[in-house]
Amino acid sequence: MDQSETLAPSRADPAADAPLNVMISKLSRRASLTPADMDAIQALPVSVRTLESATYLVREGDPPDMCSVLISGFVYRQKSTGNGDRQIMGVHIPGDLLDLHNLYLDLADHSVQMLTRGDVGFITRARMQALMAERPNVARALMIDLMCDASILREGVLNIGRRNSRTRLAHLLCEVAMRLEAQGLAGEGGYELPMTQEQLADALALTPVHVNRTLKSLADDGLITRSKRQVTFPDYERLREVGDFNPRYLHLQHQRTGALAE
Amino acid sequence: MDQSETLAPSRADPAADAPLNVMISKLSRRASLTPADMDAIQALPVSVRTLESATYLVREGDPPDMCSVLISGFVYRQKSTGNGDRQIMGVHIPGDLLDLHNLYLDLADHSVQMLTRGDVGFITRARMQALMAERPNVARALMIDLMCDASILREGVLNIGRRNSRTRLAHLLCEVAMRLEAQGLAGEGGYELPMTQEQLADALALTPVHVNRTLKSLADDGLITRSKRQVTFPDYERLREVGDFNPRYLHLQHQRTGALAE
DNA sequence: CGTACGTTTGATCTTTCTCAATAATGGTGG
DNA sequence: CCACCATTATTGAGAAAGATCAAACGTACG
C-alpha cells in the first residue's frame, strides 16, 4: 500500500510518525485487532492536517468524501433547527473516528467542527471501504466503534430529555472524564475541558446563563473546582452520583469482541 | 442453508411465508442488494414469534444473543435514569432491524419493547455475523441501516433539545408519517399511531399533560385531526413547516449506495 | 490599552411541570 | 348486552425550572 497521499511528517511531533496509532489504540480497546490488522491500518494513506478551532470538517448537507480521525485536539458534531438554534450532539477526543457516519451516506446530516485547534487525519472513503472489504476484522472493529457512538448518543438523549440541569452537567463532565481516561489522556481528578459555557449550553440543551449558574452550583457544593477551563473533581465518586453516571453505555469492557469470537 | 429453526409458517399470513421480505425491501431502499444477497437473507434461519404489547425484546443490561426484525406491529427503544424517568429513544415500524446495535456488544445499553402486539423474526447473532462475513454487500446494507438509525437519533436529540413542544410533536408526527410511507404502510394523509399520550410524552421528553395540551393546540389550529389513535393531517405541508421537518436526515434518497459503487 | 469574547449576576418572564380531579374509553366477566 | 374496572384522556390551578433581557465584569490578545 502506498503512502503517496501522506504528508511529510514533521519529525518534531511523535504523532506524525504514526498518526493512526491513537485510533488503533482506541479500536483495540473494544475489539481485538491482529498485528496484520494494525499494519493494514497503519498503511492507510492518511493526510494529516492541523486545523484551527471552529474549522468545519463536514458541513450539514455536504457530500462527504473523506473519513477522518482525530489525532489531537477536540471536535464536536452539531446540527441546527430551522430557526438557527444549535444542538451539539457529541464531543470527540483524540482517537475518535469523526465521520464513519458518512462512509456510505450521500449527504451529511449534521456538521462536524473543530472545538479546538488540532490535528486530523483524512482517509478517503474509497480507501476506508477497501480496507473494510479486505479485513473483515477491521470492519467489525469499526462497526463496534459506530455502535458505541450510537450508544453514547442514546445516553445523550436520556441526559437531555430526562435529567435536570445539575445532573445533566455533572453527567457530561463524568462522561468526558471517563472517555479521556480510557484514552489515557486524563485522570479522574480532572482535566481541561476546552468548551465555552455557550458551547456547554448547546451540548446540554440549556442556556449559557443557566450553565453558568449550574456550574456555580456544582462548585458551591464542592463537586467541582474550576480555574479557566480546567475542571477538577475533588470527589469524583460523589460527582458520579450527582450526575447519575453509570458508564455501562460507554462499553469500555469488552468480552465477546475477540478477533475470532462466536 | 437450513431452515431448521424456522417455525412452521401459518398459511393464513402472507408475511409468514417470507418473513424477511419486509426487511429486504427496507434495506433495498438505501443499498442495492443483488438477487443472491436477497436469497441469502431469505435463507436465514429465522424464528418468528408473535409478541404481546409491552413484551421486552431486550432489557437494558442483558447480554443480547439474538438479532431481531420487526415484521408487523410497532416497537420502541427506551432507557431510564437512576430515578426511574423513562426516555423513549425511538419508535420502530415493520421492516426495521431492532437490535443490530447489540450485534457485537456485550450488554445491552437500553431496552427494546413491543409498543403493540406484533410479529418479530429472530435470528441468532452468530448467523447474522456469518451472513455479514459471507456477503460484504449485505454487511454494507446493514451498516447503512445502522447509520440511518443513528441519524434519526441525532435528529431526535435536536428535536428534544432545541424545539418547543408544538414543533417537537409535529416533527415526530411527520417523521413517523414519512417512515411509514416509505415502507408503504401509510399515506401522508394520516395513520394510526398506537402510542398513548404518556408514551408520546416519554418520546418527546414532555409530560403527558403537556402532550395532551399540545395535541389539542395542533388540533385547534387545524393541523391534525384525531379520533382514537388515528391521526390525520388535513394540511401535511403546513404541519411540516410547523414541525420544522426536513426529511434529509432519513436518508431516503440513495445515490451512492449501489452494490459496486466507488 | 482597547476591543472582542467570555463570564457572572440580577430581575423578570414563559414554558412546562406538578398535583388533582373528572371524564372517556376499552376490555372483562357475568 | 351490561356493569365494572383499569387505563387513558382532559381540564384547571398553581409552582418551578429554566429562558430571556440587560448590564457589568474579566481576561486575552493584538
Side-chain angles (χ1 to χ4, degrees):
Chain A
M1 259 168 236
D2 76 72
Q3 293 257 352
S4 56
E5 287 166 75
T6 309
L7 293 189
S10 80
R11 290 290 142 209
D13 180 359
D17 291 322
L20 297 184
N21 268 345
V22 64
M23 164 180 155
I24 290 174
S25 102
K26 188 189 176 205
L27 292 178
S28 303
R29 194 169 318 117
R30 299 193 270 219
S32 306
L33 295 177
T34 65
D37 292 330
M38 298 187 192
D39 289 347
I41 295 175
Q42 286 293 12
L44 235 28
V46 54
S47 135
V48 176
R49 259 178 283 160
T50 300
L51 301 176
E52 291 309 316
S53 162
T55 308
Y56 279 91
L57 294 169
V58 184
R59 225 177 255 270
E60 186 174 349
D62 279 357
D65 272 314
M66 297 300 248
C67 263
S68 43
V69 179
L70 184 57
I71 294 167
S72 67
F74 287 76
V75 157
Y76 63 99
R77 41 187 81 251
Q78 160 214 333
K79 69 192 289 189
S80 301
T81 63
N83 60 49
D85 287 336
R86 178 174 73 158
Q87 177 66 47
I88 291 178
M89 351 275 317
V91 173
H92 288 287
I93 66 174
D96 286 355
L97 281 145
L98 299 176
D99 49 13
L100 218 42
H101 313 72
N102 299 320
L103 191 54
Y104 294 118
L105 299 179
D106 297 338
L107 297 175
D109 52 72
H110 66 290
S111 303
V112 181
Q113 201 171 1
M114 297 304 292
L115 177 55
T116 63
R117 190 171 197 273
D119 296 325
V120 178
F122 292 93
I123 300 157
T124 62
R125 273 166 54 129
R127 277 289 182 176
M128 201 59 132
Q129 291 178 6
L131 175 69
M132 290 176 70
E134 286 159 26
R135 311 216 133 253
N137 203 37
V138 174
R140 202 238 308 267
L142 294 174
M143 261 187 103
I144 291 175
D145 192 74
L146 212 48
M147 287 166 175
C148 289
D149 265 16
S151 176
I152 290 172
L153 200 56
R154 281 190 290 272
E155 185 73 20
V157 175
L158 181 65
N159 205 31
I160 289 173
R162 290 300 183 200
R163 296 203 256 248
N164 64 28
S165 62
R166 250 173 88 89
T167 308
R168 216 184 281 186
L169 176 54
H171 191 281
L172 177 72
L173 294 175
C174 288
E175 176 181 315
V176 175
M178 184 154 286
R179 284 170 56 199
L180 284 173
E181 199 204 353
Q183 198 65 281
L185 297 168
E188 286 186 351
Y191 54 91
E192 194 196 331
L193 180 65
M195 295 174 79
T196 65
Q197 292 179 10
E198 188 177 9
Q199 289 164 337
L200 276 172
D202 285 340
L204 295 167
L206 294 169
T207 311
V209 172
H210 200 64
V211 166
N212 182 282
R213 292 182 170 132
T214 308
L215 235 21
K216 183 168 188 311
S217 140
L218 290 177
D220 287 350
D221 293 355
L223 289 162
I224 62 173
T225 311
R226 294 177 294 153
S227 70
K228 315 211 174 180
R229 300 282 161 76
Q230 187 76 30
V231 196
T232 52
F233 309 142
D235 187 349
Y236 184 61
E237 203 46 56
R238 200 150 70 87
L239 187 68
R240 276 176 63 155
E241 275 166 35
V242 169
D244 189 25
F245 181 73
N246 176 341
R248 177 162 58 211
Y249 72 97
L250 293 174
H251 296 286
L252 290 171
Q253 274 81 45
H254 61 290
Q255 290 151 30
R256 297 218 208 178
T257 46
L260 301 170
E262 318 245 342
Chain B
M1 259 165 237
D2 77 71
Q3 292 258 351
S4 58
E5 287 166 77
T6 309
L7 293 189
S10 78
R11 289 289 143 209
D13 179 1
D17 291 324
L20 298 184
N21 268 346
V22 63
M23 163 181 154
I24 289 175
S25 101
K26 189 191 176 204
L27 291 179
S28 304
R29 195 167 321 117
R30 298 194 271 218
S32 306
L33 295 177
T34 65
D37 292 331
M38 298 189 191
D39 289 347
I41 294 175
Q42 287 293 10
L44 234 28
V46 54
S47 137
V48 177
R49 259 177 283 160
T50 301
L51 300 176
E52 292 308 316
S53 161
T55 308
Y56 279 92
L57 294 168
V58 183
R59 224 177 255 269
E60 188 175 346
D62 279 358
D65 273 315
M66 297 301 249
C67 263
S68 43
V69 178
L70 184 57
I71 293 167
S72 67
F74 288 76
V75 157
Y76 63 99
R77 45 185 79 251
Q78 159 214 334
K79 71 191 290 189
S80 300
T81 62
N83 60 50
D85 288 336
R86 179 175 72 159
Q87 177 66 47
I88 291 178
M89 352 276 317
V91 173
H92 288 286
I93 67 175
D96 286 354
L97 281 145
L98 300 176
D99 49 13
L100 218 44
H101 313 71
N102 299 319
L103 191 55
Y104 294 116
L105 300 179
D106 297 339
L107 297 175
D109 52 72
H110 66 290
S111 303
V112 181
Q113 201 171 1
M114 298 303 293
L115 178 54
T116 62
R117 195 171 194 272
D119 295 327
V120 177
F122 293 92
I123 300 157
T124 62
R125 273 166 55 130
R127 277 289 183 178
M128 200 59 132
Q129 292 180 5
L131 175 69
M132 291 177 70
E134 286 159 26
R135 310 216 133 254
N137 202 39
V138 174
R140 202 238 310 266
L142 294 174
M143 262 187 102
I144 291 175
D145 192 75
L146 213 46
M147 288 165 174
C148 290
D149 265 16
S151 176
I152 291 173
L153 201 56
R154 281 190 290 271
E155 183 74 19
V157 174
L158 182 64
N159 205 33
I160 288 174
R162 290 299 181 200
R163 296 204 257 248
N164 65 26
S165 63
R166 250 173 89 90
T167 308
R168 215 184 282 186
L169 176 53
H171 192 281
L172 177 73
L173 294 175
C174 289
E175 173 180 317
V176 175
M178 184 152 286
R179 284 170 56 197
L180 284 172
E181 198 203 355
Q183 198 64 282
L185 297 169
E188 285 186 351
Y191 55 90
E192 193 196 332
L193 180 65
M195 293 174 82
T196 65
Q197 292 179 7
E198 188 178 7
Q199 288 165 336
L200 277 173
D202 285 341
L204 295 167
L206 294 170
T207 311
V209 171
H210 200 63
V211 166
N212 181 283
R213 292 183 169 129
T214 309
L215 235 21
K216 185 168 186 309
S217 141
L218 290 177
D220 288 350
D221 294 354
L223 289 162
I224 62 172
T225 311
R226 293 178 293 153
S227 70
K228 313 214 178 181
R229 302 279 161 79
Q230 187 76 30
V231 196
T232 54
F233 309 142
D235 186 349
Y236 184 61
E237 205 45 57
R238 201 149 68 87
L239 187 67
R240 275 176 63 155
E241 274 166 36
V242 169
D244 187 26
F245 182 72
N246 175 341
R248 178 162 57 208
Y249 72 98
L250 293 174
H251 296 286
L252 291 170
Q253 275 82 43
H254 61 289
Q255 291 151 30
R256 298 217 208 177
T257 45
L260 302 172
E262 318 246 341

